[in-house]
Every structure is written in C-alpha cells, then in structure tokens.
Amino acid sequence: MSDEESHAPSLIRTMNAACPSSPQRVTLTPTARTSHRGVLVPAQNVVVFSGSAHRPLAKAICDDLDVPLAPVEMTRFSNDCLQAQLQANCRQRDVYIVQPLVPPTQEHLMELLLMIDAARGASAASITAVIPFYSYARSDKKDASRISIGGRLVADLLATAGVHRVMTMTLHAPQVHGFFSVPVDQLTALGILADHFLAQDLSDAIVVSPDFGNAKTATQFSRLLGLNVAAGSKRRLADDRVVIDSIVGDVQGKRAIVLDDEIATGGSIVELLDRLADQGCTGAAVACTHGLFVGKAVERLRQHPMITEVVTTDTVPAPSDWPELKVRSVAGLFAEAIARIHAGESVSSLFDGVDPSFGPPQAKLFE
C-alpha cells in the first residue's frame, strides 16, 4: 500500500469534517450563475476568431459579448499543409482566438498556432488564445524514462507563435499553469455544475471523486452542495484501463454525485461505479467539465445501470448520438472573462465563493 493510500481514510475524514453534518445550500455568487448576455465591449476594439474545433461555442461567446464572430479562411494545400487567413482587420485591436484542443487534436493545435501567427503579423495589439479544453494538460510530468512533457511543449509553442495571454478552463493539474511564460486565466465550471444539482433533492447524496488527485476539487464541490465527500483508490494500468481497489468514505445507501475534470473513454467512471455498487451505493449522477466521450464512452455510460444522469459543459462539442446528455454552457463565463480582461478588471472575482483556487487572494493575519 502506498503512502497516499495509507493516509486516505484520515484524508477523507479531514475533508468531511469541514462539511456540515446535514446539507446546507450555499448561494453562489451572481457573477458565476447569471446570464452574461449583453456584456458591453467596444466592438471596434475587440475581434474574435474561431478555428474549426468548436465554432458553436465561439458564436455563443460572441453573442454574449454582442460582437460578431469574425471569419477565418483555412486553406489546405495539396501537400496537406494548412494556411490561415484572418478575414477581419486586427491592427491595434485585441484579438481573441477560440479553439479547444479536441480530436483531431494535432490538427486543431496547428490551426490555433497559424491563427496566432497571422494575428501577430497583422499588428494585433494583443492576442489571447481562448482554449476551453487544454488537452495536453494530462502530459504534465515525467513519470517514465525518456518521456516527453507535452503540456510544457505546447505552452512554449503558443508563446513562440506570439500569444500574449491564454484563457482556459479546469486544467488537469495545477502545475500545468506554471508551464506558460505568458499570463494564464484559468476558469472553473464548479459553480455552473453545482447550480444543476442545487435544484435537486440532495438529502441522500454524497460527492465522490474517482481518485485522490481530484479529491481537493471534489471537496470544494461538496461544500457548494453541503454534502460529504468520498474518493476512490485508483491505479492506472493504461490510458483506458484503471483499477479502483477501494472506496474511502461511507457510501452505503447513498446516491453518488461523481465529479471528474475530464471523461474520455469512461473506463475510470465505469470501474468506480462498479465499486460503488459493491459498497451499497444506490445510484450515481456523473458530472464533468470536459466531456470528450471518445471510443466506447457513450455506449458504456448510457447503458450502465447505476447512472441516473450525466452532466457536462460545452467546453468541447457534445456527441450527436446522446440526446439524454445534459450540457451546461460556459459561454457566459468566457464572455464575462473576456470583457473583464478588456476592461482591465479582475477575472478571479468571478469565482469569489465558488473555489478559492480560482478566486481572489484572501487576507491573512500574522501574529
């Protein structure tokens, strides 16, 4: 047993001690939950472009900002090389390029780099890459010999291309933020996801993290809902194969709300649900920020008898063959963040009361 696993029971007790014994609803800050449509931004000073990764999200952000989505011409030559041409004036304007790094990831990454380069060559005053899903955040450490750290490399590529700022949402690991040599605004969807569940009866619910690495975020989520938290003890065997040895926390007779930052193939979630069923859990709702749902994920999650609902956000395009999937939009948060950056205002205050990791610094007294 690892040191992490041996200390897990006390870890969960410590996290649950900070939660009330009975659910107490927390009122989230209005900026994290109200519509941002009609945010006033001087249209002549801001221009928003989008690659091909997720144009509906870019359009929704522009609708909230009340600015048009500027066109981009992407040309593919006979040798398979790409060329980006921005179809709107960028000179001395603040340029925002919306492009989540979703499959085909390398294609969309190259589009983003080319659009950044084009904006720099067009004398943009500032260039912000709006990357709702930074997929290379999972490549964040050297955990084997002679292995690449893609998260840092892609950050370097963005800076070299000419980006001045990066805006993203829910990086896989905190250290990825430090890979960038330019300012990074990291947003969180915890408040949006919590709003979904606050409308339900949570008297028999418990928040469950798939692993200890996500336990801190799950704990903050549980505090927003006024619930206790549990976590799985996970060992990863391969990209799509995991083993969950045990559940730390009391889930007997309770309905789980499983929170994860990203769901790709769904292997970890299915393994966790099987262990929850063994521990007497009555059912589970699944929530995540980035719902990729690749491979057999849709089939696995739609047919699992434990799952009552799956909730995600629109940081990535939703699968077209899953009408039951509940998608909460983050376009308003990104629009508000863009408006605040343009006006020189605080972005972190968007999350005051939602998650201290993303909110403004708290005053500390020293004796």
Side-chain angles (χ1 to χ4, degrees):
M1 179 180 294
S2 66
D3 290 341
E4 184 182 59
E5 293 170 343
S6 65
H7 293 297
S10 59
L11 170 67
I12 295 299
R13 283 195 296 271
T14 301
M15 292 188 294
N16 285 333
C19 297
S21 57
S22 60
Q24 296 179 0
R25 303 300 173 86
V26 178
T27 302
L28 306 186
T29 55
T31 52
R33 52 185 291 169
T34 59
S35 172
H36 303 266
R37 189 168 299 279
V39 173
L40 296 179
V41 175
Q44 69 273 19
N45 295 330
V46 170
V47 59
V48 181
F49 297 98
S50 173
S52 63
H54 198 356
R55 290 186 64 83
L57 175 61
K59 181 64 168 59
I61 293 172
C62 287
D63 287 345
D64 277 1
L65 289 171
D66 198 23
V67 300
L69 178 60
V72 177
E73 181 177 334
M74 197 70 63
T75 303
R76 186 182 299 274
F77 295 102
S78 56
N79 63 355
D80 204 38
C81 290
L82 292 174
Q83 175 182 277
Q85 184 179 34
L86 307 181
Q87 301 287 304
N89 178 31
C90 299
R91 187 174 297 275
Q92 295 307 305
R93 301 176 75 184
D94 293 335
V95 172
Y96 295 85
I97 303 173
V98 182
Q99 183 86 324
L101 299 183
V102 296
T105 304
Q106 280 56 247
E107 184 96 354
H108 291 143
L109 173 59
M110 196 64 199
E111 285 184 9
L112 177 59
L113 294 172
L114 290 172
M115 287 186 289
I116 293 170
D117 179 71
R120 180 176 65 172
S123 301
S126 69
I127 305 169
T128 300
V130 181
I131 312 175
F133 174 56
Y134 186 69
S135 56
Y136 273 97
R138 293 183 66 175
S139 178
D140 62 333
K141 57 187 176 296
K142 184 174 181 178
D143 51 6
S145 59
R146 298 176 297 281
I147 195 170
S148 61
I149 304 178
R152 184 186 62 195
L153 174 61
V154 172
D156 290 343
L157 289 172
L158 292 168
T160 300
V163 77
H164 298 107
R165 178 183 295 269
V166 171
M167 185 186 300
T168 186
M169 176 168 278
T170 312
L171 293 169
H172 181 68
Q175 63 266 24
V176 176
H177 195 136
F179 291 167
F180 292 87
S181 57
V182 298
V184 176
D185 290 298
Q186 184 183 182
L187 311 184
T188 176
L190 281 188
I192 291 175
L193 294 173
D195 273 348
H196 175 84
F197 291 102
L198 283 170
Q200 304 176 7
D201 178 12
L202 301 178
S203 57
D204 62 342
I206 185 171
V207 174
V208 180
S209 171
D211 53 56
F212 298 136
N214 191 56
K216 182 178 179 181
T217 302
T219 300
Q220 185 59 33
F221 189 63
S222 72
R223 289 172 180 168
L224 294 177
L225 300 181
L227 300 175
N228 282 337
V229 63
S233 173
K234 182 173 76 174
R235 289 186 295 114
R236 181 168 293 279
L237 305 180
D239 177 51
D240 59 348
R241 291 180 59 223
V242 299
V243 172
I244 295 181
D245 301 312
S246 61
I247 303 295
V248 180
D250 182 15
V251 298
Q252 176 72 36
K254 296 184 178 180
R255 177 171 61 94
I257 300 177
V258 178
L259 178 72
D260 208 351
D261 63 324
E262 173 189 343
I263 298 178
T265 64
S268 298
I269 298 298
V270 169
E271 178 74 11
L272 175 65
L273 294 175
D274 291 343
R275 299 291 78 74
L276 288 172
D278 294 341
Q279 296 289 325
C281 191
T282 60
V286 177
C288 68
T289 300
H290 309 300
L292 289 177
F293 306 122
V294 296
K296 297 182 179 180
V298 174
E299 177 184 347
R300 285 171 169 172
L301 299 179
R302 288 185 73 180
Q303 297 179 358
H304 200 285
M306 282 279 290
I307 294 180
T308 58
E309 64 175 340
V310 179
V311 185
T312 187
T313 76
D314 58 351
T315 57
V316 303
S320 57
D321 57 344
W322 196 355
E324 304 90 351
L325 179 67
K326 298 178 180 178
V327 181
R328 300 294 299 261
S329 180
V330 295
L333 274 180
F334 278 101
E336 179 72 14
I338 289 173
R340 290 182 179 219
I341 289 172
H342 186 73
E345 298 176 354
S346 170
V347 173
S348 63
S349 60
L350 268 171
F351 308 108
D352 188 14
V354 177
D355 189 341
S357 302
F358 297 84
Q362 304 297 312
K364 295 182 179 180
L365 299 178
F366 297 93
E367 296 181 355

